[in-house]
């Protein structure tokens, strides 16, 4: 087994030709796309698109954490209305419906993806599916941030990446954070979007799961 056939195929950055072709395919499916070189550029790209005072939901994402976007949005003294901060004041056991309403009413939903196919689809896995409704329909504006190592040749390769790579890393995180294993409960593939609603910020770095 060569390196590219092993774990490296899930973490290697694409060449410029592959990246350019994938961006063109995504744009052809209605996604807005910006490619940046580093975390600072990614953070600025996201924040400049969100008017101050806007309600924003940051969905759980290693990429949002590593890039500093999550901290910038959820800063209690910052210029944004953090839906996550509001949710965290409620009791999950008794106020789950209120928490869902807060998340679903945010004007901006932020998160990441687990794979991006060469023909211009994005694929997102979730245990509970808590973030998927916003991506599919609820949020009028969606911004998804991802490292370019998540580019894959096909939908089959996307599923392999999620099962063989992303889930393993998320399982470690979930055990540390919640004391329980993770799992793939729902799998979302977005193939086409109305122009202007979903924007992808792609970072030329190996970041996130």
């Amino acid at each position: 087994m060569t390196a590219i056939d092993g774990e490296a195929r899930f973490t290697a950055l694409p060449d410029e030709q592959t990246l350019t072709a994938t961006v063109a395919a995504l744009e052809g499916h209605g996604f807005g796309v910006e490619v940046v070189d580093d975390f600072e550029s990614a953070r600025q790209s996201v924040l400049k698109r969100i008017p101050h005072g806007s309600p924003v939901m940051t969905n759980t994402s290693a990429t949002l954490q590593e890039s500093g976007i999550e901290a910038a949005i959820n800063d209690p003294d910052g210029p944004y209305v953090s839906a996550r901060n509001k949710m965290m004041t409620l009791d999950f056991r008794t106020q789950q419906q209120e928490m869902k309403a807060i998340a679903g009413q945010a004007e901006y939903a932020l998160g990441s993806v687990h794979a991006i196919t060469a023909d211009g689809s994005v694929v997102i896995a979730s245990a509970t599916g808590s973030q998927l409704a916003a991506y599919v329909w609820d949020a009028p504006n969606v911004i998804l941030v991802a490292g370019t190592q998540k580019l894959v040749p096909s939908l089959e390769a996307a599923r392999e990446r999620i099962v063989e790579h992303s889930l393993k890393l998320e399982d470690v995180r979930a055990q540390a954070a919640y004391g329980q294993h993770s799992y793939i409960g729902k799998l979302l593939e977005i193939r086409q979007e109305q122009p202007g609603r979903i924007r992808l910020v792609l970072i030329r770095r190996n970041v996130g799961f």
Side-chain angles (χ1 to χ4, degrees), residues 69-85:
I69 295 170
E70 180 182 84
I73 295 295
N74 297 328
D75 180 355
D77 299 318
Y80 308 102
V81 179
S82 168
R84 179 164 292 279
N85 287 351

Side-chain angles (χ1 to χ4, degrees), residues 130-170:
S130 60
Q131 77 277 45
L132 301 185
Y135 299 161
V136 172
W137 177 258
D138 288 350
N141 301 283
V142 177
I143 303 176
L144 303 172
V145 186
T148 54
Q149 87 280 6
K150 296 182 178 181
L151 272 60
V152 296
S154 64
L155 183 58
E156 180 182 1
R159 290 170 175 160
E160 289 177 358
R161 186 180 195 281
I162 290 168
V163 173
E164 299 177 22
H165 178 74
S166 303
L167 178 59
K168 293 177 181 178
L169 296 176
E170 173 59 20

